[in-house]
Structure formats: structure tokens, C-alpha cells
Amino acid sequence: MRIVHENLKEMGIANESWPMLRLGDLCKKIGSGATPRGGGESYLENGPFTLIRSQNVYNDGFKVDGLARISEDQALKLEGVSVQENDVLLNITGDSVARTCIAPKDYLPARVNQHVAIIRTNPEKLDARFLRYFLISPKQQAYLLGMAAIGATRNALTKGMIENLLVPCPNINEQKAIATILGTLDDKIELNRKMNATLEAMAQAIFKSWFVDFDPVLAKAEGRKPSGMDAATAALFPDSFQNSALGKIPKGWEVCALYDCAGYINGLAFRNDDFSPERFGLPVIKIGELKDGVTSQTKFTEVIREQKYLISSGNILFSWSGSPDTSIDTFIWTGENGWLNQHIFKIQIKRPLEKLFVYFLLRHLKSVFIEIARNKQTTGLGHVTVQDLKRLKTVFPPDDVLRVFNHAVEPLFEKAYTNRCETRTLADIRDLLLPKLLSGEIRVGNPKNVVRHKQTTGRV
């Protein structure tokens, strides 16, 4: 125990004034579940219980994409791994090993499968949020990953490893105060995420109405006034349809391949010796960084590439390779400058007028891209190729319609972009504070005082 404690101090995780206690002695439960008989084919579309899997557990929070649902009978067989609010969930096998989040009450009742461990703390000894922040701290993540890689062909954390983890334990009030400070930042990040989901839905509703369902054209063809549209905007839409390769489309509009709507610059395959041993040069942006910006795990390189492979804030990026359900998507980059990875297209907009149309078009086609990738899936991966982009056709409106579309959705897009930039700044602040708070370099007091200070000053 003493050796482990010294190692943690060297890593900047332990503090001499705080006791380092065995996690198993601070918890009411540590255990993982199982996959119901029949595997994925037994999952229900609207079952009464959720089954939490490793793909739902991320260090930045719980993700609902791919969340499985099971029947009451299946849940009864897994009753021993019932999830409770504030349980800490830890991925214990595979490439996602060590990822950690708090179980969300919105998706209970729930069970976990065999790749996820439930850690239920004794709240009188260990605050669950404090434990979660400890487990996701960069140095502790590195420690867990190193431990998981020992003596196995597949990364794995055993129950014994988890129980024997040493956790720094300041008094419970200080634990809660630390969790409150970090949680306040995370709460704002989550609020931004929810706000952006609403903004995205509003913009996508306009896109679908105008360019997929052709609601304004259909209304005029039937002699009705287009809903929610002033006369000047309505006048820009035709009142009839024409035949095309896609069927009936608005008269005077064009059909073109997705590949012809914009340029698609594929990234580079970097070698291990391209990376800097320190954080020198620019980061290599991979799919894992797209949603939230550069993380502490990002690799940097001092190798200079052509400017076309440089990613800057505001670029549209399309991840075309990986797990179909979690990797195939379109993003606006809000991080620092970096180099383009080979599994990502940088979308080169031909004219500024077309940027928002192309962005929301690619976002609208996400389900189509996922299906294409799923049909090509091998060893868990799928992809969307240039040939697919050449094969897929879309309707392209005239410039005057693009202008009014931009006028309608640009405020939504810009607000969402601002929120993403703010989220990145908040995440940077949180990641800066996290090791300092957990090591005791920055000390805090009673959590009530922290909350009162925030309410008074607006700052944490």
C-alpha cells in the first residue's frame, strides 16, 4: 500500500494531508452485469428497462446513442446489477476501458452489461461525484489504462483491481465542495449541449420543410399560403414541380451529387514517429476529439503538412470511418488549429452562400450515412467513401432561396457555435482545475459557501 501511495503522490494525485483509502472499503457495491440471452437481437425498441453498455459511458458524461432496452423478465435476471441514481459507472473491458460517468436518473430503471461496473459509494465516506472526477482525471486515467493492459490480450479491469484502488479522501465536506466547483462547470456545459440540441432541431426542421418535404412549393401548388412565411419569402418558391432523377422536385431547381456540392479533403495517416514526445507542434485531430475539442490524450506533431490539411475553428468536418452508430457524423470544429486525421473529411465550401445549406444537408443525411457504413461494417468498423458521395444525389435550390434560408437559420447556427466555443473554454477551465483540486494544491471549504459565492458573484 505504501508503494502505491508513493506512486500516486509522484503522479500528483495524492496529498500528504489526506488519507489514501481502499475504494472497496468506501463502497456499498462494486460489480458488473451480463448481456441478456440472445444478445442484441433480444433488445426491445421501447422496453421498460434500459441496459447500459460501454458505448453509453464517457468521461464527459452519459451518452444515449445506442442505449438498449430490455424486458421486465430480462431485467429480473439482472436484478443484482440494478442501477441507482448517483452510481458511478466504469467501463472495465476493451478499447473504452476506464471511461467513467455518473448514472443519470432520467434513464432509470436500468441494468448494466458485463463491460460496465457499478461503483456505489457509501455517501458518508465518499462523495460519488468526487470519485467520478478522481477517476476521470488525466493521471488517474493513465494509471487505470496501464493497469488494465497488464497480463491480458484485451484491456480489462477486474473487480479486485477496482476494490484495491487507493482514493484520496479529504473530509466529506471538502469532497462535496470540490465536486460542486467542478460540477458547476459541467452543469453549464450540459446546459449548452441541451440548448444546442434545441437550436439544431429548429434549424433542421426548417431545412427539412423547405428542401426535403418542399412544404412551401406544395402549399402554393395547392393554392394555399405557405405556413410561417412572409409574402416576399414565399414568392421565391415555385408553385409547381418537375420530374427528375429523384422524382418530383420544385420547378427550376437542380439535382446534383453530394460530391459536387462541396470539396472533400481527406486527412493524413500519421505514423508513430511523427508524434512529438511532448505537446509541441499542432495536435492531430481524430474522431474522438470532434465533439468536444482537443483532449489531454491528443497526440501532437511538429511535422509540417500542406495547408489544406490544417483544421481551424469554424471548419465543417465529416467523420467517415469508424463505428457506424457513434463515429459517422458531421461537426463544426471549435478547437485550436490542428492536422486532419485520415478518417475525417474537411468540407471545402465552394461559396460562402452554400455553407449552411451543405452543413445542414450533411447533418440531415446522418441516418443515411450510418446505414451505408453499417452495410460495409467489418470488425466493428464501417465507412462512407467518395464513391458513395458521388452516388448520392440531392436537390440544390437557387441562390435567392439559399439567401433566405441563411437569413432564417444563421442566428441559430451562430448561437450554437458560440455555445460550443464557450463549452470548450469551460472544459479547459475544468480540466485545469481538476488535478489541482484533487491533489490539494487548491483547497476549498464548505460546499454551501461555494454555492453562496457563485450565487453572489456569478463565479465559481
Side-chain angles (χ1 to χ4, degrees), residues 20-41:
M20 298 296 296
L21 302 181
R22 180 177 173 271
L23 183 57
D25 297 330
L26 302 169
C27 294
K28 293 182 175 181
K29 179 182 183 61
I30 296 177
S32 61
T35 295
R37 185 181 298 274
E41 295 183 358

Side-chain angles (χ1 to χ4, degrees), residues 171-183:
N171 69 70
I172 194 68
N173 284 337
E174 190 162 3
Q175 291 181 37
K176 290 179 178 179
I178 289 170
T180 296
I181 290 173
L182 298 172

Side-chain angles (χ1 to χ4, degrees), residues 77-103:
K77 296 174 183 177
L78 294 171
E79 192 168 9
V81 286
S82 300
V83 180
Q84 296 182 10
E85 185 179 352
N86 288 327
D87 280 349
V88 176
L89 305 179
L90 171 66
N91 284 353
I92 56 175
T93 63
D95 293 338
S96 68
V97 70
R99 291 197 319 225
T100 308
C101 73
I102 296 287

Side-chain angles (χ1 to χ4, degrees), residues 393-442:
K393 301 293 191 294
T394 186
V395 174
F396 208 91
D399 285 357
D400 53 1
V401 175
L402 284 178
R403 290 190 184 94
V404 295
F405 175 70
N406 287 347
H407 181 73
V409 303
E410 188 170 24
L412 305 175
F413 178 87
E414 290 298 329
K415 177 58 178 173
Y417 178 75
T418 299
N419 286 346
R420 291 188 185 98
C421 292
E422 181 185 64
T423 291
R424 174 173 166 74
T425 300
L426 292 169
D428 287 344
I429 294 171
R430 179 200 60 204
D431 294 344
L432 178 66
L433 286 174
L434 181 59
K436 296 180 182 296
L437 288 167
L438 293 177
S439 68
E441 181 180 343
I442 296 177

Side-chain angles (χ1 to χ4, degrees), residues 128-146:
R129 295 180 305 157
F130 176 85
L131 174 62
R132 178 241 170 179
Y133 284 118
F134 169 69
L135 293 176
I136 68 171
S137 62
K139 291 179 180 178
Q140 186 63 17
Q141 282 283 294
Y143 180 74
L144 291 171
L145 289 169

Side-chain angles (χ1 to χ4, degrees), residues 9-26:
K9 284 199 294 183
E10 290 176 8
M11 292 164 61
I13 295 172
N15 180 286
E16 289 186 357
S17 65
W18 294 344
M20 298 296 296
L21 302 181
R22 180 177 173 271
L23 183 57
D25 297 330
L26 302 169

